[in-house]
Amino acid sequence: MLMKGIPASEGIELGKAYVLQEETDVDSGFQEYNGKHYELERFFKAIDEAKKQIRELKKKAQEELSEKDAMIFEAHLLILDDPEFLKMVERKIDEGKNVSVAVKESIRFFEEMLLGLNDEYMKERAVDVKDVGIRLIRILSGKSEPDLWNIPEDCVLVAKDLTPSQTAKMRKERIKAIVLEKGGKTSHAVIIARSFGIPLILGVKEATRMIKNGDLLIVDGNIGLVHVNPEKSVLENYRERIIDQYKERMELRDILHLETRTSDGRRIKLFANIGNLEELDIALKNNAEGIGLMRTEILFMNREKPPSEEEQFKFYRTVLERMRGKPVIIRTLDVGGDKIIPYLYAEIGKEENPFLGYRSIRLCLNRKDIFKTQLRALLRASIYGNLKIMFPMISCEEEVLKAKTILEECKEELRKEGISFDRNVKVGIMVETPAAALISDILAKEVDFFSIGTNDLIQYTLAVDRTNESVSYLYNPSHPAILRLIKMTIENAHKNGIEVGVCGEVASDENFVPKLIKLGVDELSVNPSKILVIKKKVLQTKSNEDIINM
């Protein structure tokens, strides 16, 4: 049997299926209603026990994964304290419903409400609500959690979806691959799979029904295929491909400590894009020369208010210390578009076109309180490493000047408070709007470096939403307009004595990298797992060959 899905984490693996069945049904033994007082007492005892379990998970995530993963469980605690949720359960108990039924119906209501929103981030929060609901129902029914720690060696985990609680508890070194019926490409399970190099396929319909425990599976995470109990010829073919994949990985380890230079000797800096400590681990393992893009918006998600200066400072300090003096470019808050954070957008309501609206530097310049808190935390952390600060989504010179003015205000405040910071911290911008590229000669005089964000640059230049299947074929990084804007940006930067990196997805595309090198880029910042693949491509590339006509 051949099953198809959406590839979400690369790689090919072979293993026996371990099917995780979804827990949604309330045990029939708990359907009897025993009076309001008794049902409410059981409800609040279950809430207390759930909080205890979640706090243990949070501690485990802090110790073994990252602060970002721990914040997911902080969001779960907030759900348990949500007054609307508590009121709904109490109201259903008042109506004469057993507490387990009341919880299940209330959870389903909020889950469906989130899934019905026209916002991918909020849709994916539905899994957090469901996770909390499953935990409460399990506690009320006296069931134990599925044991994902003692799963069989070298198994392929098959599930409808994986909650954050399950991914935190699963023994990742025993899992060869993951097959899911649901989930989004930015879900927690996908992030974990990519971080640990586990192939993962999403959207495999009826996988938990069609696949049985012990079935032999080939998971092709490169193209999204699952072979169930494959024929001998298919099995032999894939075994050869897995051996080739292993050999290629071993060959890449041989170039781990080589300096990144083109075949004709031109030096290219090879950095990593990260958003959490898991990705930092992979960047260090693959000998990244620095961090070319550290996303900070993850610190602001899954919570009801912005992170404090102290919380941000500790996180930035950890990253800088672990990089041991290598450059770390930290991007200031970049939200909006498909990254809507409710507490930041409560006042303005729904935008008709969020990608052209209140986002990134525009939000930060308006919410000076949030911006200054982040800048102060960054400046305080700057003495623990080689920090560079980067402003996103710039479209005019005024935005750069305003952002720099606010940064100077923060420096002055810290001076007066007697707090140390790097007084010469470098400041750069992302060039991701056509406007920024077209005035890059002006902007280059105001900053210390450029980083080209090709994802948005392509989208805005070609007027194409790459997530829209109807027009995604028009999303073309090699379009002459894109190549001209990149070339113009690099030339203007070099004329003003500053370097240019590329941190968009094309930097991780080994087929596009030669074009970037020939256009004159100084630095590539890539997905941490792609560092060695891109290094190999750079080593094979001759930098002075002619590029496609522009």
Side-chain angles (χ1 to χ4, degrees):
M1 180 169 61
L2 181 64
M3 304 182 78
K4 296 181 180 181
I6 303 165
S9 181
E10 291 181 353
I12 302 171
E13 287 294 353
L14 169 70
K16 289 188 176 181
Y18 180 82
V19 183
L20 183 68
Q21 295 298 337
E22 190 174 36
E23 301 174 274
T24 54
D25 294 331
V26 180
D27 193 299
S28 59
F30 288 86
Q31 298 299 312
E32 186 180 349
Y33 181 69
N34 291 293
K36 178 180 176 181
H37 177 74
Y38 177 78
E39 300 295 345
L40 281 175
E41 185 179 8
R42 286 186 62 216
F43 176 52
F44 288 112
K45 280 184 179 178
I47 290 279
D48 290 341
E49 176 59 26
K51 286 180 178 179
K52 179 182 173 183
Q53 292 179 7
I54 291 168
R55 288 190 184 104
E56 289 173 0
L57 279 174
K58 182 181 176 184
K59 184 179 179 183
K60 182 180 176 68
Q62 285 173 322
E63 292 171 352
E64 298 182 9
L65 298 172
S66 71
E67 191 63 35
K68 181 266 299 182
D69 293 282
M71 289 313 300
I72 287 172
F73 298 110
E74 187 65 35
H76 288 198
L77 291 171
L78 291 171
I79 292 168
L80 289 170
D81 284 328
D82 184 84
E84 294 302 317
F85 169 62
L86 298 175
K87 284 178 189 174
M88 182 173 287
V89 174
E90 289 183 46
R91 187 168 65 250
K92 289 180 181 292
I93 288 173
D94 273 340
E95 293 169 358
K97 291 181 178 176
N98 168 279
V99 61
S100 296
V101 176
V103 167
K104 184 176 180 181
E105 289 182 359
S106 300
I107 287 293
R108 185 185 293 135
F109 171 83
F110 286 106
E111 184 187 356
E112 289 176 354
M113 181 185 73
L114 289 169
L115 289 171
L117 295 174
N118 188 26
D119 182 318
E120 287 306 312
Y121 173 74
M122 293 306 295
K123 281 182 179 179
E124 290 190 6
R125 299 293 61 78
V127 76
D128 295 305
V129 172
K130 184 176 182 179
D131 197 349
V132 170
I134 289 171
R135 182 174 301 282
L136 282 171
I137 292 169
R138 191 189 299 126
I139 292 167
L140 288 164
S141 62
K143 293 180 180 178
S144 58
E145 292 188 63
D147 187 1
L148 286 175
W149 186 253
N150 292 308
I151 56 178
E153 294 271 3
D154 297 335
C155 71
V156 174
L157 183 60
V158 181
K160 285 196 174 180
D161 200 355
L162 286 174
T163 67
S165 297
Q166 289 168 333
T167 54
K169 282 199 162 186
M170 69 188 189
R171 200 163 181 175
K172 298 160 190 72
E173 68 272 16
R174 290 190 173 189
I175 297 172
K176 300 285 281 185
I178 299 173
V179 176
L180 300 179
E181 292 183 12
K182 303 175 184 176
K185 283 196 171 184
T186 58
S187 70
H188 189 62
V190 172
I191 292 168
I192 294 293
R194 287 175 180 166
S195 297
F196 285 85
I198 301 171
L200 185 149
I201 300 177
L202 299 168
V204 183
K205 294 179 181 178
E206 299 193 3
T208 56
R209 187 178 71 83
M210 302 293 287
I211 299 172
K212 309 301 180 188
N213 274 323
D215 280 347
L216 184 63
L217 304 183
I218 296 170
V219 178
D220 190 335
N222 298 329
I223 57 175
L225 292 181
V226 182
H227 295 264
V228 185
N229 296 320
E231 294 178 357
K232 186 177 179 181
S233 60
V234 175
L235 187 59
E236 289 176 355
N237 176 268
Y238 267 99
R239 277 188 170 140
E240 289 180 10
R241 290 174 64 182
I242 290 170
I243 291 169
D244 290 342
Q245 177 181 268
Y246 177 77
K247 286 179 180 177
E248 184 179 346
R249 287 173 182 170
M250 291 301 100
E251 288 172 4
L252 290 176
R253 302 311 294 176
D254 292 339
I255 66 172
L256 182 68
H257 297 292
L258 289 182
E259 192 173 55
T260 310
R261 289 185 179 275
T262 61
S263 62
D264 52 347
R266 189 169 143 229
R267 182 78 168 90
I268 303 291
K269 295 176 183 177
L270 191 51
F271 289 5
N273 297 333
I274 69 166
N276 55 55
L277 297 182
E278 297 151 337
E279 291 175 333
L280 175 62
D281 288 337
I282 299 169
L284 290 168
K285 180 181 175 182
N286 288 327
N287 200 27
E289 297 178 52
I291 302 301
L293 169 64
M294 180 179 149
R295 309 175 191 91
T296 59
E297 52 273 13
I298 201 72
L299 291 171
F300 292 75
M301 294 177 173
N302 294 313
R303 56 199 306 153
E304 291 187 332
K305 60 182 181 179
S308 66
E309 179 181 320
E310 193 64 25
E311 185 181 339
Q312 292 188 62
F313 160 70
K314 287 178 180 176
F315 184 71
Y316 305 146
R317 174 180 173 175
T318 297
V319 174
L320 287 161
E321 286 181 332
R322 292 188 60 189
M323 287 304 292
R324 297 176 180 270
K326 291 181 178 179
V328 176
I329 300 174
I330 299 183
R331 183 178 70 187
T332 57
L333 181 61
D334 183 18
V335 292
D338 57 349
K339 294 175 289 187
I340 302 295
I341 297 179
Y343 63 80
L344 292 177
Y345 284 80
E347 294 178 7
I348 70 163
K350 182 183 176 182
E351 295 183 282
E352 287 301 317
N353 196 335
F355 282 94
L356 298 179
Y358 185 58
R359 59 175 299 200
S360 304
I361 196 67
R362 299 167 184 179
L363 183 148
C364 287
L365 293 176
N366 186 51
R367 289 295 305 272
K368 198 173 171 181
D369 54 330
I370 292 172
F371 196 31
K372 287 186 72 172
T373 298
Q374 182 172 39
L375 292 176
R376 281 176 57 94
L378 286 167
L379 288 169
R380 286 174 57 197
S382 65
I383 60 173
Y384 295 95
N386 183 4
L387 171 69
K388 299 181 181 183
I389 297 172
M390 181 162 66
F391 303 129
M393 195 66 189
I394 296 297
S395 58
C396 62
E397 184 184 18
E398 288 76 14
E399 289 172 332
V400 179
L401 297 176
K402 285 178 182 177
K404 287 171 64 178
T405 298
I406 295 171
L407 180 63
E408 289 304 317
E409 288 176 16
C410 293
K411 289 181 180 180
E412 186 59 30
E413 288 176 10
L414 293 175
R415 282 193 202 99
K416 289 178 179 177
E417 294 169 26
I419 298 173
S420 299
F421 62 93
D422 179 2
R423 293 167 186 264
N424 298 310
V425 65
K426 302 295 184 185
V427 174
I429 62 166
M430 289 194 71
V431 176
E432 51 191 335
T433 66
L438 290 166
I439 61 166
S440 53
D441 56 331
I442 298 170
L443 299 177
K445 295 176 171 60
E446 298 296 338
V447 295
D448 301 303
F449 63 92
F450 283 160
S451 185
I452 301 175
T454 51
N455 299 0
D456 272 339
L457 184 63
I458 296 166
Q459 174 173 259
Y460 290 132
T461 304
L462 303 182
V464 172
D465 177 3
R466 61 182 172 150
T467 65
N468 184 330
E469 292 182 4
S470 300
V471 295
S472 59
Y473 69 96
L474 292 168
Y475 188 89
N476 176 20
S478 295
H479 191 292
I482 304 301
L483 297 178
R484 288 181 182 183
L485 288 175
I486 293 173
K487 184 179 181 183
M488 177 190 299
T489 301
I490 293 171
E491 288 176 347
N492 285 329
H494 289 170
K495 285 175 186 175
N496 286 276
I498 66 173
E499 292 190 341
V500 183
V502 175
C503 61
E505 285 185 17
V506 297
S508 297
D509 181 348
E510 55 193 297
N511 296 316
F512 198 85
V513 161
K515 292 182 182 180
L516 293 174
I517 291 172
K518 292 163 190 174
L519 284 167
V521 71
D522 304 293
E523 168 212 312
L524 298 170
S525 190
V526 307
N527 183 311
S529 62
K530 298 279 284 189
I531 289 172
L532 296 179
V533 172
I534 297 304
K535 178 181 276 194
K536 181 180 178 181
K537 177 57 70 172
V538 174
L539 295 172
Q540 296 171 340
T541 299
K542 193 172 182 180
S543 67
N544 58 7
E545 288 179 348
D546 290 336
I547 194 168
I548 189 170
N549 289 331
M550 294 180 293

